[in-house]
Amino acid sequence: MDTYDFLADPRAITLQERRATAARLAKEQADWLERLQALAEPPKPAQDFPAFLLATPAFADLARRLGRARTRAELPTDLADEVDWFVAAFAGYLRTCDGEDSFALTGPRRAR
């Protein structure tokens, strides 16, 4: 997992920086996006969903708890709900900076 200290709060960077970070973390993006598409309920994450965030400090705990799960059936209900929250909350992360309070670092996530 790559560690980028400035991503401790994923809202702290501009849209341009978000897109640059996504490009830098292309391998992590591809790996996590494939897994999230199997772990999340419909609607599944779009191709521009920022799955790479799971390789950052802000979501290290969620990534750790997902472990090696490859199907939704492998997840406890509370973790499956958290995956759905993550997918819904960050759906527009690489598209806009509007409405960022909708994914403030609150919600079902346990740790920052």
Side-chain angles (χ1 to χ4, degrees), residues 22-89:
R24 272 195 311 275
L25 296 175
K27 181 185 179 327
E28 291 85 348
Q29 172 68 14
D31 293 346
W32 277 113
L33 184 60
E34 180 182 350
R35 286 189 60 202
L36 283 175
Q37 289 175 331
L39 296 174
E41 273 192 333
K44 302 294 184 182
Q47 287 300 309
D48 69 343
F49 180 80
F52 70 89
L53 288 173
L54 288 166
T56 67
F59 295 100
D61 182 60
L62 177 57
R64 179 191 57 74
R65 288 184 290 121
L66 289 173
R68 297 181 184 266
R70 292 283 177 193
T71 66
R72 189 169 179 89
E74 296 175 72
L75 301 177
T77 303
D78 63 330
L79 185 54
D81 289 346
E82 191 168 345
V83 167
D84 295 339
W85 172 85
F86 175 73
V87 169

